[in-house]
């Protein structure tokens, strides 16, 4: 077995192919950085890069050269055998067969190894970005560049970002990739006061002949991000999608047994409610209430109860064993902190969560021996308190001592944590 997921993934800040990590941890890191900047009175420029047919244009010889430089000839032959000799044919409905086409470039996108090979292929792009002191994050072929600055320095920050993207375009051309500058997206984020100061004067990006105008919102890894860093659009989309699925399930529930119906509701509704819910830490109650209404409606679909029947809360907690939305968010945050303290996460998440015992000035405090992570100071409740570096440790520190035992396995910790949250009801 070849272990290739440690150094490169941490170097690129990528979550791909890492156990227990997904687009949610990528978005959690990105949102936390943007919120921290807004809490400090800074504005942030977030740019999404688009590569044309990224997986289909990976050059095999260049990829093998990079692998040889990193891992040696033994591993090189394994990957050469994996990449070479691939071909495909097309069979029509009339059973006519096309001629065989041999694949001389690209990595298999549908495989587990293919996207990881793409990250290995583009790992050197990180060095190009770092030369301009621009922050970056990647998930497969989705690459985000961002930087923070004062409102008065937005023009200088825009120039830095333009130079960085220009060098990235040169690097992609040299490595037989193509950067779509006309599909590049830009978003300026900040606090309410910062955005009022900027107004409509957000500077665009000039990338060759293409001008990238700053947007008020765009979609990243399935979650809409807005300039005010609120997640109202995301919650509205989730609610609309869940209600649509439940309307489709209602006519069919007479033909389904209870277990099959519950499985479908979990697959189409509950999974949508839980997706990226860690981003909703410390949001206003009226926001999470919308998702709570979705949970109640899903419970009514499974149990065939009417809207105004009594005992829905008991059905939710005792029969279906579902946590309410605020506790589901806290549950996810505590699980992430447990992984951070056990060094089972990528480096960029571990760097945001340090134990009090590791801080020299606090080693003599009683909290140093109780597995308390450090909770940094913040200025704005609407921004700073929502960051993972504050919301996560705060949720963990509120747990009882027996749950803050980092020696517990992930499965045991999750089980006891859920039992603890059920004691709220």
């Amino acid at each position: 077995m070849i272990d290739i997921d440690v150094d490169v993934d941490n170097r690129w800040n990528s979550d791909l192919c890492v156990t227990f990590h997904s687009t949610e941890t990528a978005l959690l890191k990105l949102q936390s950085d943007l919120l921290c900047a807004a809490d400090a009175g800074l504005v942030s420029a977030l740019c999404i890069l688009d590569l044309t047919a990224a997986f289909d244009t990976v050059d095999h010889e260049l990829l093998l050269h990079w692998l040889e430089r990193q891992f040696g000839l033994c591993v090189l032959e394994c990957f050469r055998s994996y990449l070479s000799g691939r071909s495909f044919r097309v069979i029509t409905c009339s059973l006519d067969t096309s001629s065989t086409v041999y694949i001389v470039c690209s990595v298999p996108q549908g495989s587990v190894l293919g996207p990881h090979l793409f990250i290995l292929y583009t790992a050197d792009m990180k060095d190009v970005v770092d030369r301009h002191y621009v922050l970056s994050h990647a998930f497969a072929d989705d690459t985000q560049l961002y930087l923070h600055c004062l409102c008065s320095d937005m023009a200088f920050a825009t120039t830095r970002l333009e130079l960085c993207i220009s060098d990235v375009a040169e690097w992609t051309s040299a490595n037989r990739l193509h950067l779509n500058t006309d599909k590049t997206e830009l978003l300026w984020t900040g606090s309410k006061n910062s955005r009022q100061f900027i107004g409509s004067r957000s500077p665009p990006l000039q990338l060759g002949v293409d001008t990238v105008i700053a947007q008020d919102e765009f979609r990243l890894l399935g979650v809409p991000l807005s300039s005010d860093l609120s997640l109202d659009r995301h919650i509205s989309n989730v609610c609309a999608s869940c209600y649509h699925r439940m309307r489709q399930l209602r006519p069919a529930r007479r033909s389904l047994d209870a277990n099959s119906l519950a499985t479908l509701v979990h697959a189409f509704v509950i999974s949508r409610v839980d997706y990226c819910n860690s981003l909703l830490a410390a949001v206003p109650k009226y926001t999470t209430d919308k998702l709570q209404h979705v949970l109640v409606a899903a419970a009514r679909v499974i149990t065939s109860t009417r809207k105004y029947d009594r005992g829905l809360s008991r059905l939710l907690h005792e029969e279906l064993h579902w946590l309410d939305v605020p506790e589901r968010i806290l549950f996810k945050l505590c699980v992430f902190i447990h992984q951070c303290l056990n060094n089972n996460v990528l480096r960029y998440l571990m760097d945001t969560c340090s134990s009090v015992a590791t801080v020299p000035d606090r080693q003599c405090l009683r909290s140093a021996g109780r597995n308390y992570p450090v909770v940094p100071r913040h200025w704005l409740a609407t921004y700073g308190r929502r960051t993972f570096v504050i919301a996560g440790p705060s949720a963990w520190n509120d747990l009882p001592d027996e749950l803050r035992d980092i020696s517990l396995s992930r499965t045991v910790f999750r089980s006891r944590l859920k039992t603890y949250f059920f004691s709220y009801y």
Side-chain angles (χ1 to χ4, degrees), residues 34 71 94 100 111 116 157 173 217 229-230 237 251 268 341 361 382 385 387 408 423-425:
L34 298 178
F71 302 109
S94 58
T100 301
S111 66
H116 210 149
S173 298
E217 178 184 282
L229 296 175
S230 70
N237 291 348
F268 294 115
L341 295 177
D361 295 339
T382 52
R385 195 174 62 175
T387 63
L408 295 175
S423 67
Y424 282 12
Y425 310 129

Side-chain angles (χ1 to χ4, degrees), residues 300-371:
R300 288 193 287 109
V301 171
I302 294 177
T303 58
S304 298
T305 54
R306 293 177 297 180
K307 183 174 183 180
Y308 296 106
D309 286 351
R310 294 184 177 182
L312 286 177
S313 178
R314 181 185 60 81
L315 288 174
L316 209 67
H317 302 145
E318 297 181 10
E319 294 190 17
L320 297 177
H321 302 286
W322 290 356
L323 292 171
D324 290 342
V325 171
E327 283 71 43
R328 298 174 91 92
I329 296 171
L330 293 175
F331 180 89
K332 185 77 69 68
L333 292 174
C334 291
V335 169
F336 283 151
I337 295 297
H338 181 264
Q339 293 177 251
C340 288
L341 295 177
N342 280 284
N343 299 328
N344 289 331
V345 294
L346 290 172
R347 190 177 306 151
Y348 68 77
L349 278 184
M350 287 192 294
D351 291 343
T352 63
C353 180
S354 58
S355 175
V356 173
T358 62
V359 181
D361 295 339
R362 300 187 181 184
Q363 292 177 350
C364 59
L365 301 178
R366 286 180 295 178
S367 58
R370 301 178 66 181
N371 293 324

